[in-house]
Coordinates of all heavy atoms in Angstrom, one line a residue:
M29 N -10.8 27.4 24.8 CA -10.7 26.7 23.5 C -11.0 25.3 23.7 O -10.8 24.7 24.8 CB -9.2 26.9 23.0 CG -9.0 26.3 21.7 SD -7.4 27.0 21.0 CE -7.8 26.7 19.3
A30 N -11.4 24.6 22.7 CA -11.8 23.2 22.8 C -10.6 22.3 23.2 O -9.5 22.6 22.8 CB -12.4 22.7 21.5
D31 N -10.9 21.2 23.8 CA -9.9 20.3 24.2 C -9.4 19.6 23.0 O -10.1 18.9 22.2 CB -10.5 19.2 25.2 CG -9.4 18.3 25.8 OD1 -8.2 18.6 25.5 OD2 -9.8 17.4 26.4
R32 N -8.0 19.7 22.6 CA -7.5 19.1 21.4 C -6.5 17.9 21.6 O -5.5 17.8 21.1 CB -6.6 20.2 20.7 CG -7.4 21.5 20.3 CD -8.2 21.3 19.1 NE -7.4 21.2 18.0 CZ -7.8 20.9 16.8 NH1 -9.1 20.8 16.5 NH2 -7.1 20.8 15.7
R33 N -7.0 17.1 22.6 CA -6.2 15.9 22.9 C -6.1 14.9 21.6 O -7.1 14.9 20.9 CB -6.9 15.0 24.0 CG -6.5 15.7 25.3 CD -7.1 14.9 26.4 NE -8.5 15.3 26.6 CZ -9.4 14.6 27.2 NH1 -9.2 13.5 27.8 NH2 -10.7 15.1 27.2
V34 N -5.0 14.3 21.5 CA -4.8 13.4 20.4 C -5.5 12.1 20.7 O -5.3 11.5 21.7 CB -3.3 13.1 20.1 CG1 -3.1 12.1 19.0 CG2 -2.6 14.4 19.8
S35 N -6.4 11.6 19.8 CA -7.1 10.5 20.0 C -7.1 9.7 18.6 O -6.9 10.3 17.6 CB -8.6 10.6 20.4 OG -9.3 11.3 19.5
A36 N -7.6 8.4 18.7 CA -7.6 7.7 17.4 C -8.7 8.3 16.5 O -8.4 8.3 15.2 CB -8.0 6.2 17.7
D37 N -9.8 8.8 17.0 CA -10.8 9.4 16.2 C -10.2 10.7 15.6 O -10.5 11.0 14.4 CB -12.0 9.7 17.0 CG -12.8 8.5 17.4 OD1 -12.7 7.5 16.7 OD2 -13.6 8.6 18.3
G38 N -9.5 11.4 16.4 CA -8.9 12.8 15.8 C -7.9 12.5 14.7 O -7.9 13.2 13.8
I39 N -7.1 11.4 14.9 CA -6.1 11.1 13.9 C -6.8 10.6 12.6 O -6.4 11.0 11.5 CB -5.1 10.1 14.4 CG1 -4.3 10.7 15.6 CG2 -4.2 9.5 13.3 CD1 -3.5 9.7 16.3
A40 N -7.8 9.8 12.8 CA -8.5 9.3 11.6 C -9.2 10.5 10.9 O -9.1 10.7 9.6 CB -9.6 8.3 12.0
Y41 N -9.8 11.4 11.6 CA -10.5 12.6 11.1 C -9.4 13.5 10.3 O -9.7 13.8 9.1 CB -11.1 13.4 12.2 CG -11.9 14.6 11.6 CD1 -13.3 14.5 11.5 CD2 -11.3 15.8 11.3 CE1 -14.0 15.6 11.0 CE2 -12.1 16.9 10.9 CZ -13.4 16.8 10.7 OH -14.1 17.8 10.3
D42 N -8.3 13.8 10.9 CA -7.3 14.7 10.3 C -6.7 14.0 9.1 O -6.4 14.7 8.1 CB -6.2 14.9 11.3 CG -6.7 15.9 12.5 OD1 -7.7 16.5 12.3 OD2 -6.0 16.1 13.5
T43 N -6.5 12.7 9.2 CA -6.0 12.0 8.0 C -7.0 12.0 6.8 O -6.6 12.3 5.7 CB -5.7 10.5 8.4 OG1 -4.8 10.4 9.4 CG2 -5.1 9.7 7.1
M44 N -8.2 11.8 7.1 CA -9.3 11.8 6.0 C -9.4 13.3 5.5 O -9.6 13.4 4.3 CB -10.5 11.3 6.5 CG -10.6 9.8 6.8 SD -10.0 8.8 5.5 CE -11.1 9.3 4.2
L45 N -9.3 14.2 6.4 CA -9.4 15.6 5.9 C -8.3 16.0 4.9 O -8.5 16.6 4.0 CB -9.3 16.6 7.2 CG -9.4 18.0 6.8 CD1 -10.7 18.4 6.2 CD2 -9.3 18.8 8.2
L46 N -7.0 15.6 5.3 CA -5.8 15.7 4.4 C -6.1 15.1 3.1 O -5.9 15.7 2.1 CB -4.6 15.3 5.1 CG -3.3 15.4 4.3 CD1 -3.0 16.8 4.0 CD2 -2.2 14.8 5.0
F47 N -6.6 13.8 3.1 CA -6.8 13.1 1.9 C -7.8 13.8 1.0 O -7.6 14.0 -0.2 CB -7.4 11.7 2.2 CG -7.8 10.9 1.0 CD1 -6.9 10.4 0.1 CD2 -9.1 10.8 0.8 CE1 -7.4 9.7 -0.9 CE2 -9.6 10.0 -0.2 CZ -8.7 9.5 -1.1
W48 N -9.0 14.2 1.6 CA -10.0 14.8 0.8 C -9.6 16.3 0.4 O -10.0 16.6 -0.7 CB -11.3 14.9 1.6 CG -11.9 13.5 1.7 CD1 -12.3 12.9 2.8 CD2 -12.4 12.7 0.5 NE1 -12.8 11.6 2.4 CE2 -12.9 11.5 1.0 CE3 -12.3 12.9 -0.8 CZ2 -13.4 10.5 0.2 CZ3 -12.8 11.9 -1.6 CH2 -13.3 10.6 -1.1
R49 N -8.8 16.9 1.1 CA -8.3 18.2 0.7 C -7.4 18.1 -0.5 O -7.5 18.8 -1.4 CB -7.5 18.9 1.8 CG -7.1 20.3 1.6 CD -6.5 21.0 2.7 NE -7.6 21.3 3.5 CZ -7.3 21.8 4.9 NH1 -6.0 22.1 5.2 NH2 -8.3 22.2 5.7
I50 N -6.5 17.0 -0.6 CA -5.7 16.7 -1.7 C -6.6 16.5 -2.9 O -6.3 17.0 -4.0 CB -4.7 15.7 -1.4 CG1 -3.7 16.2 -0.4 CG2 -4.0 15.2 -2.7 CD1 -2.8 15.1 0.2
V51 N -7.6 15.6 -2.7 CA -8.4 15.1 -3.8 C -9.2 16.4 -4.4 O -9.2 16.6 -5.6 CB -9.4 14.1 -3.4 CG1 -10.5 13.8 -4.5 CG2 -8.7 12.7 -3.1
T52 N -9.8 17.2 -3.5 CA -10.5 18.3 -4.0 C -9.6 19.4 -4.7 O -10.1 20.0 -5.7 CB -11.4 19.0 -2.9 OG1 -10.6 19.4 -1.8 CG2 -12.5 18.0 -2.5
N53 N -8.4 19.5 -4.2 CA -7.5 20.4 -4.8 C -7.1 20.0 -6.2 O -6.7 20.9 -7.0 CB -6.3 20.8 -3.9 CG -6.7 21.7 -2.8 OD1 -7.6 22.4 -2.8 ND2 -5.9 21.5 -1.7
L54 N -7.1 18.8 -6.4 CA -6.7 18.2 -7.8 C -7.7 18.7 -8.8 O -7.4 18.9 -10.0 CB -6.6 16.7 -7.8 CG -5.4 16.1 -7.1 CD1 -5.5 14.6 -7.0 CD2 -4.1 16.5 -7.8
F55 N -9.1 18.6 -8.4 CA -10.1 18.9 -9.3 C -10.6 20.4 -9.3 O -11.1 20.9 -10.3 CB -11.4 18.0 -9.1 CG -11.1 16.6 -9.3 CD1 -10.8 15.7 -8.3 CD2 -11.1 16.1 -10.6 CE1 -10.5 14.4 -8.6 CE2 -10.8 14.8 -10.9 CZ -10.5 14.0 -9.9
F56 N -10.4 21.1 -8.1 CA -10.9 22.4 -8.0 C -9.6 23.3 -7.5 O -9.3 23.3 -6.4 CB -12.0 22.6 -7.0 CG -13.1 21.7 -7.3 CD1 -13.2 20.4 -6.6 CD2 -14.1 22.1 -8.2 CE1 -14.4 19.7 -7.0 CE2 -15.2 21.4 -8.5 CZ -15.3 20.1 -7.9
R57 N -9.0 23.9 -8.5 CA -7.7 24.6 -8.2 C -8.0 25.8 -7.3 O -7.1 26.2 -6.5 CB -7.0 25.0 -9.5 CG -6.4 23.9 -10.2 CD -5.2 23.4 -9.5 NE -4.6 22.4 -10.3 CZ -3.8 21.5 -9.8 NH1 -3.3 21.7 -8.5 NH2 -3.3 20.5 -10.5
E58 N -9.1 26.5 -7.5 CA -9.3 27.7 -6.7 C -10.7 27.6 -6.1 O -11.7 27.7 -6.8 CB -9.4 28.8 -7.7 CG -9.4 30.2 -7.1 CD -9.2 31.3 -8.0 OE1 -8.7 31.1 -9.1 OE2 -9.5 32.5 -7.7
I59 N -10.7 27.6 -4.8 CA -11.9 27.6 -4.0 C -11.9 28.9 -3.1 O -11.0 29.0 -2.4 CB -12.1 26.4 -3.1 CG1 -12.0 25.0 -3.9 CG2 -13.3 26.4 -2.2 CD1 -11.9 23.8 -3.1
R60 N -12.9 29.6 -3.3 CA -13.0 30.8 -2.6 C -14.2 30.9 -1.7 O -15.3 31.2 -2.2 CB -13.1 32.1 -3.5 CG -11.9 32.2 -4.3 CD -11.9 33.5 -5.1 NE -10.8 33.6 -6.1 CZ -10.5 34.7 -6.8 NH1 -11.4 35.7 -6.8 NH2 -9.5 34.8 -7.5
P61 N -14.1 30.6 -0.4 CA -15.2 30.6 0.5 C -15.6 32.1 0.7 O -14.8 33.0 0.8 CB -14.7 29.9 1.8 CG -13.3 30.1 1.7 CD -12.9 30.1 0.2
R62 N -16.9 32.3 1.0 CA -17.4 33.6 1.3 C -18.0 33.5 2.7 O -18.9 32.7 2.9 CB -18.4 34.1 0.3 CG -17.7 34.4 -1.1 CD -18.8 34.9 -2.0 NE -19.7 33.7 -2.3 CZ -20.8 33.9 -3.1 NH1 -21.1 35.0 -3.6 NH2 -21.5 32.9 -3.3
G63 N -17.5 34.4 3.6 CA -18.0 34.5 4.9 C -17.5 33.4 5.9 O -18.1 33.2 6.9
A64 N -16.5 32.7 5.5 CA -16.0 31.7 6.4 C -15.5 32.3 7.7 O -15.4 31.7 8.8 CB -14.8 30.9 5.8
F65 N -15.1 33.6 7.7 CA -14.6 34.3 8.8 C -15.7 34.4 9.9 O -15.5 34.7 11.0 CB -14.0 35.6 8.6 CG -15.0 36.5 7.8 CD1 -15.9 37.3 8.5 CD2 -15.1 36.6 6.5 CE1 -16.8 38.1 7.9 CE2 -16.0 37.4 5.8 CZ -16.9 38.1 6.5
N66 N -17.0 34.2 9.5 CA -18.2 34.3 10.4 C -18.3 33.0 11.3 O -19.1 33.0 12.2 CB -19.5 34.6 9.7 CG -19.5 36.0 9.1 OD1 -19.1 36.9 9.8 ND2 -19.9 36.0 7.9
I67 N -17.6 32.0 11.0 CA -17.8 30.7 11.7 C -17.1 30.9 13.1 O -16.0 31.3 13.2 CB -17.1 29.5 11.1 CG1 -17.6 29.3 9.6 CG2 -17.1 28.3 11.9 CD1 -16.8 28.3 8.8
P68 N -17.9 30.8 14.2 CA -17.4 31.0 15.5 C -16.3 29.9 15.8 O -16.4 28.8 15.5 CB -18.5 30.9 16.5 CG -19.6 30.3 15.7 CD -19.3 30.5 14.2
R69 N -15.2 30.3 16.5 CA -14.2 29.4 16.9 C -14.6 28.5 18.1 O -13.9 27.4 18.3 CB -12.9 30.1 17.2 CG -12.4 30.8 15.9 CD -11.0 31.4 16.2 NE -10.5 32.1 15.0 CZ -9.8 31.4 14.0 NH1 -9.5 30.2 14.1 NH2 -9.4 32.1 13.0
Q70 N -15.5 28.8 18.8 CA -16.0 28.0 19.9 C -17.5 28.0 19.9 O -18.2 28.8 19.4 CB -15.6 28.8 21.3 CG -14.1 28.8 21.5 CD -13.7 29.6 22.7 OE1 -14.2 29.1 23.8 NE2 -12.9 30.6 22.7
G71 N -18.1 27.0 20.7 CA -19.5 26.9 20.9 C -20.1 26.1 19.7 O -19.5 25.8 18.7
P72 N -21.3 25.7 19.9 CA -22.0 24.9 18.9 C -22.3 25.7 17.6 O -22.7 26.9 17.7 CB -23.3 24.4 19.6 CG -23.5 25.4 20.7 CD -22.1 25.9 21.1
V73 N -22.3 25.0 16.5 CA -22.7 25.6 15.2 C -23.5 24.6 14.4 O -23.1 23.4 14.5 CB -21.4 26.0 14.4 CG1 -21.8 26.6 13.0 CG2 -20.6 27.0 15.2
I74 N -24.6 25.0 13.7 CA -25.3 24.1 12.9 C -25.2 24.6 11.5 O -25.7 25.7 11.2 CB -26.7 23.9 13.4 CG1 -26.8 23.3 14.7 CG2 -27.5 23.1 12.3 CD1 -28.2 23.1 15.3
F75 N -24.6 23.8 10.5 CA -24.7 24.2 9.2 C -25.9 23.4 8.5 O -26.0 22.2 8.7 CB -23.4 23.8 8.5 CG -22.2 24.6 8.9 CD1 -21.3 23.9 9.7 CD2 -22.0 25.9 8.6 CE1 -20.1 24.6 10.2 CE2 -20.8 26.5 9.1 CZ -20.0 25.8 9.9
V76 N -26.6 24.0 7.7 CA -27.8 23.4 7.0 C -27.6 23.4 5.5 O -27.4 24.5 5.0 CB -29.1 23.9 7.4 CG1 -30.3 23.3 6.7 CG2 -29.3 24.0 8.9
A77 N -27.6 22.3 4.8 CA -27.4 22.2 3.4 C -28.4 21.1 2.9 O -28.4 20.0 3.4 CB -26.1 21.8 3.0
G78 N -29.3 21.6 2.0 CA -30.3 20.7 1.5 C -29.7 19.6 0.5 O -28.6 19.9 -0.2
P79 N -30.3 18.5 0.3 CA -29.9 17.5 -0.6 C -29.9 18.0 -2.1 O -31.0 18.6 -2.4 CB -30.7 16.3 -0.4 CG -31.9 16.8 0.3 CD -31.5 18.0 1.0
H80 N -29.0 17.8 -2.9 CA -29.0 18.2 -4.3 C -27.8 17.4 -5.0 O -27.3 16.5 -4.4 CB -28.8 19.6 -4.4 CG -27.5 20.1 -3.8 ND1 -27.4 20.4 -2.4 CD2 -26.4 20.7 -4.3 CE1 -26.2 20.9 -2.1 NE2 -25.6 21.1 -3.3
A81 N -27.5 17.8 -6.2 CA -26.6 17.0 -7.0 C -25.2 16.9 -6.4 O -24.5 15.9 -6.6 CB -26.6 17.6 -8.4
N82 N -24.8 17.9 -5.7 CA -23.5 17.9 -5.1 C -23.5 17.4 -3.6 O -22.6 17.9 -2.8 CB -22.9 19.3 -5.1 CG -22.6 19.7 -6.6 OD1 -22.3 18.8 -7.4 ND2 -22.6 20.9 -6.9
Q83 N -24.3 16.6 -3.3 CA -24.5 16.2 -1.8 C -23.3 15.6 -1.2 O -23.2 15.6 0.0 CB -25.8 15.3 -1.7 CG -25.6 14.0 -2.4 CD -26.9 13.1 -2.2 OE1 -27.8 13.5 -1.4 NE2 -27.0 12.0 -2.9
F84 N -22.4 15.0 -1.9 CA -21.2 14.4 -1.4 C -20.0 15.3 -1.5 O -19.0 15.2 -0.7 CB -20.9 13.0 -2.0 CG -22.0 12.0 -1.8 CD1 -22.8 11.5 -2.8 CD2 -22.3 11.7 -0.5 CE1 -23.8 10.6 -2.7 CE2 -23.3 10.7 -0.3 CZ -24.1 10.2 -1.4
L85 N -20.0 16.2 -2.4 CA -18.9 17.2 -2.5 C -19.0 18.3 -1.5 O -18.0 18.8 -0.9 CB -18.8 17.8 -3.9 CG -17.8 18.8 -4.2 CD1 -16.4 18.2 -4.0 CD2 -17.9 19.3 -5.7
D86 N -20.2 18.9 -1.3 CA -20.4 20.0 -0.4 C -19.9 19.7 1.0 O -19.2 20.6 1.6 CB -21.9 20.4 -0.4 CG -22.3 21.1 -1.6 OD1 -21.4 21.5 -2.5 OD2 -23.5 21.4 -1.8
P87 N -20.2 18.6 1.6 CA -19.6 18.3 2.9 C -18.0 18.4 3.0 O -17.4 18.8 4.0 CB -20.1 17.0 3.4 CG -21.3 16.8 2.5 CD -21.0 17.5 1.2
L88 N -17.4 17.9 1.9 CA -16.0 17.8 1.9 C -15.4 19.3 1.9 O -14.5 19.6 2.6 CB -15.5 17.1 0.7 CG -15.9 15.6 0.6 CD1 -15.4 15.1 -0.7 CD2 -15.3 14.9 1.8
L89 N -16.1 20.1 1.1 CA -15.6 21.5 1.0 C -15.9 22.2 2.3 O -15.1 23.0 2.7 CB -16.3 22.2 -0.2 CG -15.9 21.6 -1.7 CD1 -16.8 22.3 -2.7 CD2 -14.4 21.7 -1.8
L90 N -17.1 22.0 2.8 CA -17.4 22.7 4.1 C -16.5 22.3 5.2 O -16.0 23.1 5.9 CB -18.9 22.4 4.5 CG -19.4 22.8 5.8 CD1 -19.3 24.4 5.9 CD2 -20.7 22.3 6.1
M91 N -16.2 21.0 5.2 CA -15.3 20.5 6.3 C -13.9 21.1 6.2 O -13.3 21.5 7.1 CB -15.3 18.9 6.1 CG -14.4 18.2 7.1 SD -14.6 16.4 6.8 CE -14.3 16.3 5.1
S92 N -13.5 21.1 5.0 CA -12.1 21.7 4.7 C -12.0 23.2 5.1 O -11.1 23.6 5.7 CB -11.7 21.4 3.2 OG -10.5 22.0 3.0
E93 N -13.0 23.9 4.6 CA -12.9 25.4 4.9 C -13.2 25.7 6.3 O -12.5 26.6 6.9 CB -13.9 26.1 4.0 CG -13.5 26.0 2.5 CD -12.1 26.4 2.2 OE1 -11.7 27.5 2.6 OE2 -11.4 25.7 1.5
A94 N -14.0 25.0 7.0 CA -14.3 25.2 8.4 C -13.1 24.9 9.2 O -12.7 25.6 10.2 CB -15.5 24.4 8.9
H95 N -12.3 23.9 8.8 CA -11.1 23.5 9.6 C -10.0 24.6 9.3 O -9.3 24.9 10.2 CB -10.7 22.1 9.2 CG -9.5 21.6 10.0 ND1 -8.2 21.8 9.7 CD2 -9.5 21.1 11.2 CE1 -7.5 21.3 10.6 NE2 -8.2 20.8 11.6
R96 N -9.9 24.9 8.0 CA -8.9 25.9 7.6 C -9.1 27.3 8.3 O -8.2 27.9 8.9 CB -8.8 26.1 6.2 CG -7.5 26.9 5.7 CD -7.5 27.1 4.3 NE -8.6 28.1 3.9 CZ -8.8 28.5 2.8 NH1 -8.1 28.1 1.7 NH2 -9.7 29.4 2.6
D97 N -10.3 27.8 8.3 CA -10.6 29.2 8.8 C -10.9 29.3 10.2 O -10.4 30.2 10.9 CB -11.7 29.8 8.0 CG -11.3 30.1 6.6 OD1 -10.1 30.2 6.3 OD2 -12.3 30.2 5.8
A98 N -11.5 28.3 10.9 CA -12.0 28.3 12.2 C -11.3 27.3 13.0 O -11.6 27.2 14.3 CB -13.4 28.3 12.3
R99 N -10.6 26.4 12.5 CA -9.9 25.2 13.2 C -11.0 24.4 13.9 O -10.9 23.9 15.1 CB -8.9 25.7 14.2 CG -7.8 26.7 13.7 CD -7.1 26.2 12.5 NE -6.3 25.1 12.8 CZ -5.7 24.3 11.9 NH1 -5.9 24.6 10.6 NH2 -4.9 23.3 12.2
R100 N -12.2 24.2 13.2 CA -13.2 23.4 13.8 C -13.4 22.1 13.0 O -13.1 22.0 11.8 CB -14.5 24.1 13.6 CG -14.7 25.5 14.1 CD -15.1 25.6 15.5 NE -16.2 24.8 15.9 CZ -17.3 25.3 16.5 NH1 -17.4 26.5 16.6 NH2 -18.3 24.5 17.0
R101 N -13.7 21.0 13.8 CA -14.0 19.8 13.1 C -15.5 19.7 12.9 O -16.3 20.0 13.8 CB -13.6 18.6 14.1 CG -12.1 18.5 14.0 CD -11.6 17.3 14.7 NE -10.2 17.1 14.5 CZ -9.5 16.5 15.5 NH1 -10.0 15.9 16.6 NH2 -8.2 16.3 15.2
V102 N -15.9 19.3 11.7 CA -17.4 19.3 11.4 C -17.8 17.8 11.3 O -17.1 17.0 10.7 CB -17.6 19.9 10.1 CG1 -19.1 19.9 9.6 CG2 -17.1 21.4 10.2
S103 N -18.9 17.5 11.9 CA -19.5 16.2 11.8 C -20.9 16.3 11.1 O -21.4 17.3 11.1 CB -19.8 15.5 13.1 OG -18.6 15.3 13.8
F104 N -21.3 15.3 10.4 CA -22.5 15.4 9.5 C -23.5 14.4 10.0 O -23.2 13.2 10.4 CB -22.2 15.2 8.1 CG -21.2 16.2 7.5 CD1 -19.8 16.0 7.5 CD2 -21.8 17.4 7.1 CE1 -19.0 17.0 7.0 CE2 -20.9 18.4 6.6 CZ -19.5 18.2 6.6
L105 N -24.8 14.7 9.7 CA -25.9 13.8 9.9 C -26.3 13.4 8.4 O -26.6 14.3 7.6 CB -27.1 14.5 10.5 CG -28.3 13.6 10.7 CD1 -28.1 12.4 11.5 CD2 -29.4 14.5 11.2
I106 N -26.1 12.1 8.1 CA -26.4 11.7 6.7 C -27.4 10.6 6.6 O -27.7 10.0 7.7 CB -25.1 11.2 6.0 CG1 -24.6 9.9 6.6 CG2 -24.0 12.3 6.0 CD1 -23.4 9.3 5.8
A107 N -28.0 10.4 5.6 CA -29.0 9.4 5.4 C -28.5 7.9 5.7 O -27.4 7.7 5.3 CB -29.6 9.4 4.0
A108 N -29.3 7.2 6.4 CA -28.9 5.8 6.6 C -28.7 5.0 5.4 O -27.8 4.2 5.4 CB -30.0 5.1 7.5
K109 N -29.4 5.4 4.4 CA -29.2 4.7 3.0 C -27.7 4.9 2.5 O -27.1 4.0 2.0 CB -30.2 5.2 2.0 CG -30.1 4.5 0.7 CD -31.2 5.0 -0.2 CE -31.2 4.4 -1.5 NZ -32.3 4.9 -2.4
S110 N -27.2 6.1 2.8 CA -25.9 6.4 2.3 C -24.9 5.7 3.2 O -23.8 5.3 2.7 CB -25.7 8.0 2.3 OG -26.5 8.7 1.4
M111 N -25.2 5.7 4.5 CA -24.2 4.9 5.4 C -24.1 3.4 5.0 O -23.0 2.9 5.3 CB -24.6 5.1 6.8 CG -24.3 6.4 7.4 SD -22.6 6.8 7.5 CE -22.2 6.0 9.2
K112 N -25.1 2.9 4.4 CA -25.0 1.5 4.1 C -24.2 1.2 2.7 O -23.8 0.1 2.5 CB -26.4 0.9 3.8 CG -27.2 0.8 5.1 CD -28.6 0.4 4.9 CE -29.3 0.4 6.2 NZ -30.7 0.0 6.1
R113 N -23.8 2.3 1.9 CA -23.0 2.1 0.8 C -21.6 2.0 1.3 O -21.1 2.7 2.2 CB -23.1 3.4 0.0 CG -24.6 3.6 -0.6 CD -24.7 4.8 -1.3 NE -24.1 4.7 -2.6 CZ -24.1 5.7 -3.6 NH1 -24.8 6.8 -3.3 NH2 -23.5 5.6 -4.7
K114 N -20.8 1.0 0.7 CA -19.6 0.6 1.3 C -18.6 1.8 1.4 O -18.1 2.1 2.5 CB -18.9 -0.5 0.4 CG -19.6 -1.8 0.6 CD -18.9 -2.8 -0.2 CE -19.6 -4.2 0.0 NZ -19.0 -5.3 -0.7
A115 N -18.3 2.5 0.3 CA -17.2 3.5 0.4 C -17.7 4.7 1.1 O -17.0 5.2 2.0 CB -16.9 3.9 -1.0
I116 N -19.0 5.1 0.9 CA -19.4 6.3 1.6 C -19.6 6.1 3.1 O -19.3 6.9 3.9 CB -20.8 6.8 0.9 CG1 -20.5 7.3 -0.5 CG2 -21.5 7.9 1.7 CD1 -21.7 7.4 -1.3
G117 N -20.1 4.9 3.4 CA -20.3 4.5 4.8 C -18.9 4.5 5.5 O -18.8 5.0 6.7
L118 N -17.9 4.0 4.8 CA -16.6 3.8 5.5 C -16.0 5.3 5.7 O -15.7 5.7 6.8 CB -15.6 3.1 4.6 CG -14.1 3.2 5.1 CD1 -14.0 2.5 6.4 CD2 -13.3 2.5 4.0
F119 N -16.0 6.1 4.7 CA -15.5 7.5 4.8 C -16.3 8.3 5.9 O -15.7 9.0 6.6 CB -15.4 8.2 3.5 CG -14.4 7.6 2.6 CD1 -14.7 7.3 1.4 CD2 -13.1 7.5 3.0 CE1 -13.8 6.8 0.4 CE2 -12.1 7.0 2.2 CZ -12.4 6.6 0.9
A120 N -17.6 8.2 5.8 CA -18.5 8.9 6.7 C -18.2 8.5 8.1 O -18.1 9.4 9.1 CB -20.0 8.7 6.4
S121 N -18.1 7.3 8.4 CA -17.8 6.8 9.8 C -16.4 7.3 10.3 O -16.2 7.7 11.5 CB -17.9 5.3 10.0 OG -16.9 4.7 9.1
L122 N -15.4 7.3 9.3 CA -14.1 7.8 9.8 C -14.1 9.3 10.0 O -13.3 9.9 10.8 CB -13.1 7.6 8.6 CG -12.7 6.1 8.5 CD1 -11.8 5.9 7.3 CD2 -11.9 5.6 9.7
M123 N -15.1 10.0 9.5 CA -15.3 11.5 9.7 C -16.3 11.7 10.8 O -16.7 12.9 11.0 CB -15.8 12.2 8.4 CG -14.8 12.0 7.2 SD -13.1 12.5 7.5 CE -13.3 14.2 7.8
S124 N -16.6 10.8 11.6 CA -17.5 10.9 12.8 C -18.9 11.4 12.4 O -19.6 12.1 13.2 CB -16.9 12.0 13.8 OG -15.6 11.5 14.2
S125 N -19.4 10.8 11.3 CA -20.8 11.2 10.9 C -21.8 10.2 11.5 O -21.4 9.2 11.8 CB -20.9 11.0 9.4 OG -20.0 12.0 8.7
S126 N -23.0 10.7 11.5 CA -24.0 9.9 12.1 C -25.2 9.7 11.1 O -25.4 10.6 10.3 CB -24.6 10.6 13.3 OG -23.6 10.8 14.3
A127 N -25.9 8.6 11.2 CA -27.0 8.3 10.3 C -28.3 8.6 11.1 O -28.4 8.5 12.3 CB -27.0 6.9 9.8

């Protein structure tokens, strides 16, 4: 199993995950993931999602469901242009995202 030591990055990630889970649950009362049980609990995984209208919501839902079902932390590769936006860049960096 992956090393789960408590670190400042881990605390920031878990805090942001809790915050976004509360926010998404306010707007989406029922989220039913399909196939989340297929996410391996160990080893590398690559999720691919193309840019579209929900480009900022999909990562939040994916991150929440991957953590809930497989206890995995998900990091994202996002556009450098998005990282330069104040709010998005802040939240993305707290979630260990890369540009």
Side-chain angles (χ1 to χ4, degrees):
M29 183 163 207
D31 188 9
R32 303 281 293 175
R33 284 182 274 165
V34 176
S35 66
D37 290 340
I39 291 170
Y41 185 97
D42 290 343
T43 302
M44 292 307 303
L45 180 63
L46 176 63
F47 171 75
W48 287 119
R49 187 175 283 173
I50 291 168
V51 169
T52 56
N53 284 336
L54 288 174
F55 293 102
F56 303 98
R57 290 285 179 195
E58 189 173 344
I59 298 172
R60 292 184 186 187
R62 293 181 291 175
F65 58 87
N66 290 318
I67 301 171
R69 294 188 182 272
Q70 298 182 53
V73 177
I74 297 176
F75 297 105
V76 178
H80 58 287
N82 292 330
Q83 66 183 346
F84 297 114
L85 178 61
D86 288 349
L88 299 176
L89 297 175
L90 173 64
M91 180 176 52
S92 178
E93 295 306 314
H95 188 266
R96 188 183 74 179
D97 289 340
R99 309 307 293 168
R100 303 275 312 238
R101 288 186 174 153
V102 179
S103 297
F104 296 95
L105 178 64
I106 66 172
K109 184 178 179 180
S110 294
M111 282 295 275
K112 291 178 183 174
R113 297 173 75 178
K114 287 183 182 182
I116 293 169
L118 172 66
F119 290 127
S121 62
L122 289 172
M123 300 306 297
S124 303
S125 297
S126 301

